[in-house]
Amino acid sequence: MKKEDAGPPNRELYALLNISPEASDEEIRKAYRQWAQIYHPDKYQELHMKDIATENFQRICEAYEILSDANKRQIYDIYGMEGLTSGLELGPKLNKVEELKEELERLRKMKEQEKISAHFRPSGTILANMSLPHLLKGDGIMRGMAMTSEIQSQISKNNAIAIGGNLAVSGNSGGGAASAVFRHQISPAASVEFMAAAGLRALVGVQTSRQLSSHSTATMALAISLRDGSLNLSNSWTRQLTETANANIQLAVGPESSIAVGWQKKEEKMSAAGEVKFGTSSFLASAHYTHRFSSKSHGRIVGKVGSTTLELEVGGGRKISNFSTVRMLYSIGIQGIVWKFELHRGGQKLIIPILLSRHLNPVFATGAFILPTSLYFVLKKFVFKPYYLKREKQKALENVEKTSAKVQEARAAAEKAQKLLQNVANRKRNRQLETNGLIITRALYGNRTVLSRNDESRETQHELTSQVLDVTLPLNFLVSESGQLKLHEGVKKSGIMGFCDPCPGEPKQLHVEYTYRGGRYQVVVDDYEELLIPQESHII
């Protein structure tokens, strides 16, 4: 089951009155009067109609009472109904809006501080090098292993600490190191880090960074080796070129002097980077490109050329859960032909490179590339995708069963609310007919996947009935005298009077068909997206 689209919290009361979260006091009063005229119990004589009106009138009065009170509105905007019904502890009685703001800000900072104090970010990598040639010679498949681990903690608003270590084993030799870094934020534009390491590369050092302008940052670091007393000085400058691209230059002076120039570009669908590095006796140029085919899958290509390196790496990955991603990469170069498997989960990585051959045989290299690629697509089509679709469908059915009673109750309430809107909605519709104005001919709200289907199968018709709600009548009611309809951005549409949530937990859309000045129009908007009609861009 897909997760419901995330949106701003605490907006239900704004949806109920169909006003913007930034609405003024006058706009709130005007909306309240409009809805009160429709749902006032005294307007109805029949007992069941009076009961429906009373229930909805109470909802409108509650929304108006909260949103028209500056103190209550601010508490609601931050904490929602829970903050109001649970008697949010704001200390002594606060009469002024300014005092309330200060108290809420203090509470927010306290919660933020508690969150920061308890926030640890662990990360680590396990690298297991394997070799098929070694296995065929009888030497075992393992060539070596390496592990790195680090824990970062924000110990205060301006101070953070990171403690880490690494171990590596290759053949009969190995080694390790431990490190600690303390970071202090001097100001919003400057920071300083103190570092120390023990083990194979024992050193102490300091690094400082400063934002030179809104687009430029400079970093300088000094490290002293505790083994031979050598000094390493490095400077780097980063410049933002565009909103999605930046470039950097790094200069290092010491036993391993070098100069490097690089750039990075990151957009919604792709990311790319490149670097050229010159050392005292070495040279390396590298570039990578990653393209996102969807929110769950991506492809990647990496190239490296240097004095001791010549390598091309291609592959892709897929997100298998909210926290986990798997990758399969194929690499060919002077080091040989390698398959690489990666599992990323949270901040942890498992990387398994498998050396297939040290010799660049064209037939073997082609087979090593085609075999896993073909196997992936076959498994995806006949195993993974059917299993995933079956699992998603099962989860959706379980969710429907779990929420069916709640949905039926919400549907019944929405139908009752629509019944009281009917007379006024019909009058408004007839008035728009006379002037050839805006008329909503069909409006459906519910499951995005179901609404996006075009087939007329029995299964789709059943899903339309169970996971979609007809909201043609309430939208005709919301059409203004001037022949316009506006639903505000950031407000979940299920909270609008006459609407309900027909499929909790699923992403939703609103599909609207309408006529205006003799033309036929159609528009689809997401749950929190603004709807403003009529517009020429909607014409069919």
Side-chain angles (χ1 to χ4, degrees):
M1 182 185 69
K2 293 177 183 178
K3 281 200 168 182
E4 184 172 3
D5 292 342
N10 314 325
R11 295 288 188 263
E12 292 86 354
L13 300 185
Y14 295 101
L16 188 64
L17 297 180
N18 192 36
I19 55 176
S20 166
E22 288 77 38
S24 64
D25 292 343
E26 180 57 35
E27 289 171 327
I28 294 172
R29 281 193 293 271
K30 183 179 178 181
Y32 167 72
R33 286 195 295 266
Q34 179 189 18
W35 290 106
Q37 287 175 1
I38 301 298
Y39 288 106
H40 200 289
D42 293 345
K43 292 187 65 177
Y44 303 93
Q45 301 301 320
E46 297 180 24
L47 184 60
H48 76 284
M49 297 292 281
K50 187 181 282 289
D51 290 342
I52 296 172
T54 300
E55 180 183 341
N56 287 285
F57 185 69
Q58 287 173 349
R59 293 173 63 201
I60 293 162
C61 288
E62 181 185 35
Y64 177 69
E65 179 188 352
I66 293 169
L67 298 182
S68 62
D69 184 300
N71 292 4
K72 290 181 179 179
R73 183 178 179 182
Q74 289 206 30
I75 294 174
Y76 173 75
D77 284 347
I78 298 170
Y79 297 101
M81 291 300 295
E82 185 180 355
L84 293 165
T85 56
S86 62
L88 182 66
E89 295 181 6
L90 293 175
K93 187 175 180 180
L94 303 170
N95 296 316
K96 295 181 180 180
V97 176
E98 291 77 12
E99 292 177 352
L100 176 63
K101 284 183 178 179
E102 290 176 4
E103 187 67 13
L104 290 176
E105 186 64 28
R106 187 184 68 81
L107 288 172
R108 269 203 307 271
K109 286 182 178 179
M110 281 179 58
K111 287 192 172 185
E112 192 177 308
Q113 189 65 39
E114 291 171 2
K115 187 177 179 181
I116 287 173
S117 300
H119 193 52
F120 285 85
R121 296 189 301 276
S123 62
T125 300
I126 297 176
L127 176 67
N129 278 304
M130 299 184 182
S131 172
L132 189 59
H134 278 64
L135 178 65
L136 296 176
K137 289 179 181 179
D139 296 331
I141 195 170
M142 295 299 299
R143 286 195 302 163
M145 287 195 70
M147 297 176 63
T148 63
S149 182
E150 184 180 71
I151 297 177
Q152 298 182 41
S153 177
Q154 193 80 27
I155 56 179
S156 68
K157 184 179 179 180
N158 296 321
N159 298 314
I161 190 170
I163 300 173
N166 64 78
L167 292 170
V169 177
S170 180
N172 297 321
S173 61
S179 63
V181 178
F182 175 78
R183 185 176 189 272
H184 175 68
Q185 192 74 32
I186 302 171
S187 70
S191 65
V192 62
E193 292 182 7
F194 300 95
M195 61 198 79
L200 288 178
R201 297 190 65 182
L203 58 84
V204 291
V206 62
Q207 175 177 291
T208 180
S209 299
R210 182 168 182 81
Q211 188 171 345
L212 305 177
S213 68
S214 58
H215 301 291
S216 301
T217 304
T219 301
M220 183 176 71
L222 176 66
I224 303 174
S225 172
L226 299 180
R227 298 178 70 86
D228 56 16
S230 61
L231 289 175
N232 288 274
L233 176 65
S234 66
N235 289 274
S236 64
W237 300 267
T238 302
R239 171 80 180 178
Q240 186 173 349
L241 305 177
T242 66
E243 290 185 358
T244 59
N246 63 74
N248 64 278
I249 300 174
Q250 184 173 21
L251 175 65
V253 179
E256 299 177 0
S257 299
S258 64
I259 183 169
V261 179
W263 64 274
Q264 299 86 32
K265 184 178 180 67
K266 189 172 184 179
E267 297 179 350
E268 184 179 356
K269 290 287 186 181
M270 61 79 72
S271 64
E275 185 181 64
V276 178
K277 184 176 182 180
F278 297 91
T280 52
S281 58
S282 63
F283 158 77
L284 177 65
S286 63
H288 86 256
Y289 175 81
T290 302
H291 182 80
R292 294 190 177 276
F293 302 109
S294 68
S295 60
K296 292 189 175 181
S297 62
H298 66 271
R300 177 183 172 90
I301 181 168
V302 179
K304 296 179 182 178
V305 178
S307 52
T308 60
T309 303
L310 178 61
E311 181 183 344
L312 177 65
E313 183 179 87
V314 293
R318 184 169 182 84
K319 191 174 183 181
I320 57 176
S321 72
N322 291 333
F323 304 102
S324 302
T325 300
V326 292
R327 278 182 183 170
M328 167 63 186
L329 301 165
Y330 169 83
S331 173
I332 183 170
I334 58 176
Q335 85 288 355
I337 301 168
V338 177
W339 282 347
K340 187 188 292 184
F341 300 94
E342 297 183 6
L343 171 63
H344 297 227
R345 180 168 178 83
Q348 310 300 319
K349 297 178 185 179
L350 172 62
I351 303 174
I352 306 176
I354 303 176
L355 177 65
L356 302 177
S357 174
R358 292 190 180 278
H359 307 291
L360 300 181
N361 183 292
V363 176
F364 187 86
T366 305
F369 175 74
I370 292 176
L371 180 64
T373 305
S374 303
L375 183 63
Y376 167 75
F377 284 108
V378 169
L379 290 174
K380 178 183 177 183
K381 183 174 180 62
F382 296 105
V383 179
F384 299 141
K385 193 170 183 179
Y387 171 76
Y388 175 77
L389 291 175
K390 184 179 179 181
R391 188 182 67 173
E392 290 297 301
K393 192 170 184 178
Q394 183 62 34
K395 285 185 177 181
L397 288 173
E398 290 175 359
N399 184 60
V400 169
E401 290 175 4
K402 192 183 297 183
T403 61
S404 60
K406 181 181 177 182
V407 170
Q408 287 176 8
E409 184 180 336
R411 277 183 174 273
E415 288 171 4
K416 290 177 181 179
Q418 287 192 23
K419 191 176 292 185
L420 299 187
L421 295 175
Q422 190 167 358
N423 290 336
V424 177
N426 288 339
R427 283 202 301 270
K428 286 189 171 186
R429 190 176 187 276
N430 292 334
R431 198 174 300 127
Q432 293 296 322
L433 275 170
E434 293 170 2
T435 60
N436 203 18
L438 176 60
I439 301 163
I440 310 298
T441 56
R442 187 170 185 247
L444 299 174
Y445 171 73
N447 189 301
R448 182 166 64 193
T449 304
V450 175
L451 285 174
S452 63
R453 292 178 188 162
N454 295 319
D455 60 279
E456 299 294 331
S457 65
R458 183 177 298 177
E459 183 181 3
T460 300
Q461 291 302 317
H462 171 71
E463 289 176 329
L464 275 172
T465 305
S466 62
Q467 299 191 49
V468 173
L469 181 71
D470 190 317
V471 291
T472 307
L473 192 145
L475 288 190
N476 272 311
F477 172 83
L478 292 173
V479 174
S480 67
E481 295 296 328
S482 60
Q484 287 189 325
L485 172 62
K486 181 176 183 179
L487 302 182
H488 299 279
E489 184 179 7
V491 178
K492 191 176 180 181
K493 294 173 178 58
S494 60
I496 298 172
M497 191 66 80
F499 282 56
C500 75
D501 189 342
C503 49
E506 295 287 344
K508 286 168 278 291
Q509 281 185 336
L510 175 63
H511 174 102
V512 183
E513 297 174 14
Y514 63 96
T515 59
Y516 181 73
R517 306 293 188 204
R520 293 177 61 242
Y521 300 80
Q522 180 178 295
V523 61
V524 178
V525 293
D526 288 331
D527 208 4
Y528 290 90
E529 189 178 350
E530 180 187 62
L531 173 66
L532 182 60
I533 57 177
Q535 290 191 44
E536 282 300 318
S537 59
H538 301 160
I539 195 166
I540 300 175

